[in-house]
Amino acid sequence: MLRALIFDVDGTLADTERDGHRVAFNRAFADAGLDWHWDVPRYGELLRVTGGRERILHFMESAEANIPAAERETLARALHARKTAHYLRIVDEGSVQLRPGVARLLSEAHAGGLTLAIATTTSRANIDALLAHTLPPGALGWFSVIGAAEDAPRKKPDPQVYEFVLEQLGLAPQECLAIEDSSAGLQAASAAGVRTIVTITDYTRDQDFSGALTVLSDVGERDAPARVLAGSAAGTDVIDVAQLKAWHAQG
Ligand code: XBP
Ligand code: MG
């Protein structure tokens, strides 16, 4: 029986990467006097490395970064802290909105008695800011457990953050459903034994989603129906709790 929905944040609750995180990284680089610039396609490649600090460290290994190995860890930490400050400012300005249907689905699930949780590689501050700016007051309290970067140092596709959330929830993986946007997220949830639906983004649409219960454009709204891209097409345009329960039961 389905008891809990576990949501990823970046790409799933909101399309945060291109106009949120990417811009914040570039501002942090400029602040530090570095001439690095991650354009939209380049950032898409870098997204293969999950976790912002890990992404910076990965970039530092390239010849164009030109940072001595001994200095990389300290600089990556400083740049990432600065990047988080920029990201919080971008969210405060209202530039990052929830994806279509997400606020509706969260509030329906909460009202319907399903437990809600979050499993993400991003930092806790980023989640709190996003939820505070995009959901009704008090909605942070809808989430029984929030698993973030601070709780799980091994980033997706490692299942650590899902294992943390399951343990905190006191639920078996079979009682939960994950909602993810990326192959790394799908792999993390699946490795923890949690069945998963995927809502793609422009950055993730060509990734491998084998093993997902279904792959969707998004969860849909009455005036902007969801499209089923792969897997079970049960014929509903607006994904609601009943539909999620049906997919979960089939899986
Ligand atoms: C999200 C990430 C994060 C964000 C940036 O992955 O990989 O690194 O890009 O956030 P997922 P931080 O959606 O699978 O959780 O800089 O805070 O890491
Ligand atoms: Mg994601």
Side-chain angles (χ1 to χ4, degrees):
M1 186 175 138
L2 180 62
R3 293 191 188 281
L5 300 179
I6 308 176
F7 285 85
D8 168 52
V9 175
D10 295 302
T12 301
L13 292 184
D15 210 344
T16 52
E17 296 290 6
R18 192 190 66 183
D19 301 327
H21 291 297
R22 185 185 68 89
V23 174
F25 282 112
N26 285 328
R27 289 183 183 165
F29 301 154
D31 289 349
L34 295 163
D35 63 354
W36 306 347
H37 179 80
W38 291 352
D39 64 16
V40 171
R42 183 72 192 270
Y43 190 66
E45 292 160 21
L46 289 164
L47 276 173
R48 286 198 209 108
V49 180
T50 52
R53 190 178 56 82
E54 291 83 349
R55 194 167 299 138
I56 295 169
L57 278 169
H58 169 79
F59 181 76
M60 283 176 173
E61 284 161 20
S62 67
E64 71 190 278
N66 196 23
I67 302 289
E71 293 169 25
R72 289 178 192 162
E73 186 66 49
T74 308
L75 180 59
R77 271 184 202 285
L79 287 170
H80 191 244
R82 189 82 191 141
K83 175 261 166 182
T84 298
H86 278 298
Y87 180 77
L88 292 173
R89 205 162 304 136
I90 290 167
V91 172
D92 279 350
E93 287 162 359
S95 306
V96 183
Q97 294 301 316
L98 296 182
R99 294 188 63 187
V102 165
R104 169 192 57 76
L105 185 58
L106 288 172
S107 96
E108 278 173 17
H110 174 65
L114 273 183
T115 296
L116 296 178
I118 280 175
T120 177
T121 69
T122 203
S123 316
R124 179 61 195 254
N126 294 348
I127 307 161
D128 292 352
L130 180 71
L131 298 181
H133 281 84
T134 55
L135 286 171
L140 192 59
W142 295 356
F143 296 89
S144 303
V145 175
I146 295 182
E150 293 84 347
D151 307 302
R154 296 196 305 275
K155 304 291 164 72
K156 299 173 187 176
D158 192 288
Q160 191 179 34
V161 72
Y162 275 95
E163 288 163 358
F164 170 84
V165 168
L166 291 169
E167 196 194 329
Q168 296 288 310
L169 287 173
L171 291 175
Q174 300 78 8
E175 296 175 299
C176 302
L177 181 71
I179 300 94
E180 279 281 357
D181 72 300
S182 69
S183 173
L186 167 64
Q187 288 174 55
S190 302
V194 181
R195 281 167 253 178
T196 305
I197 69 161
V198 172
T199 53
I200 59 156
T201 71
D202 284 343
Y203 273 137
T204 66
R205 62 175 66 251
D206 297 324
Q207 294 180 354
D208 178 9
F209 294 123
S210 38
L213 288 178
T214 190
V215 182
L216 302 161
S217 56
D218 49 63
V219 294
E221 282 294 31
R222 250 165 286 282
D223 55 353
R227 281 171 296 116
V228 178
L229 307 173
S232 181
T236 182
D237 288 345
V238 178
I239 309 308
D240 57 11
V241 169
Q243 179 63 73
L244 294 181
K245 285 184 174 166
W247 277 327
H248 180 260
Q250 279 170 24

